[in-house]
Structures are given as structure tokens and as C-alpha cells.
Amino acid sequence: EIIKSLAEDGFFDESKTIDKIIEYCKESLAFTYKVTELSSSLTRATRSNLLKRSKGGNGQYEYTSAK
């Protein structure tokens, strides 16, 4: 649900790594997530075409809006 909300608010207009997503949720939304808690949500959002996923220069996946 948090991924869908962030996507609707334009958070993914610029690409974000999972670390950046976790950091934003902790600092701005007062939610603390572990990588394992968000990775399945990000996978579902990618499969449902809410987000696009690509590998960044550092080898980590980056997520952007599919719009």
C-alpha cells in the first residue's frame, strides 16, 4: 500500500533505489521498513506496471514510475 501511495504522489518520477525508499519512509513518513519487507511490494508494483525497474550504475535496481 505504501508503494502505491508513493507512486501516486510522484515519488517515483525520478528513479529511486530501495535504500532511498526506506530512508524516505523513515525520515518523512515515520515508518521503518526492512529491505525484505519492501522488496516483495516493489516486485508486485513492477509486475502490475505501476513501476519500472532497471539496474543502475552501482548494480542496484532502481524504480521509476511506469507512467
Side-chain angles (χ1 to χ4, degrees), residues 2 6 11 20-33:
I2 190 72
L6 290 172
F11 179 75
K20 292 292 182 184
I21 298 166
I22 290 170
E23 180 183 326
Y24 178 82
C25 289
K26 184 177 181 178
E27 292 178 4
S28 300
L29 304 176
F31 287 109
T32 303
Y33 293 104

Side-chain angles (χ1 to χ4, degrees), residues 1-2 4 6 12-13 17 19 23 28 35 39-40 48 50 54 56 59:
E1 193 64 32
I2 190 72
K4 183 178 179 183
L6 290 172
F12 292 104
D13 289 349
T17 62
D19 292 334
E23 180 183 326
S28 300
V35 170
S39 61
S40 59
S48 67
L50 180 64
S54 61

Side-chain angles (χ1 to χ4, degrees), residues 17 54-62:
T17 62
S54 61
K55 278 206 176 183
N58 60 0
Q60 286 190 328
Y61 284 113
E62 296 180 350

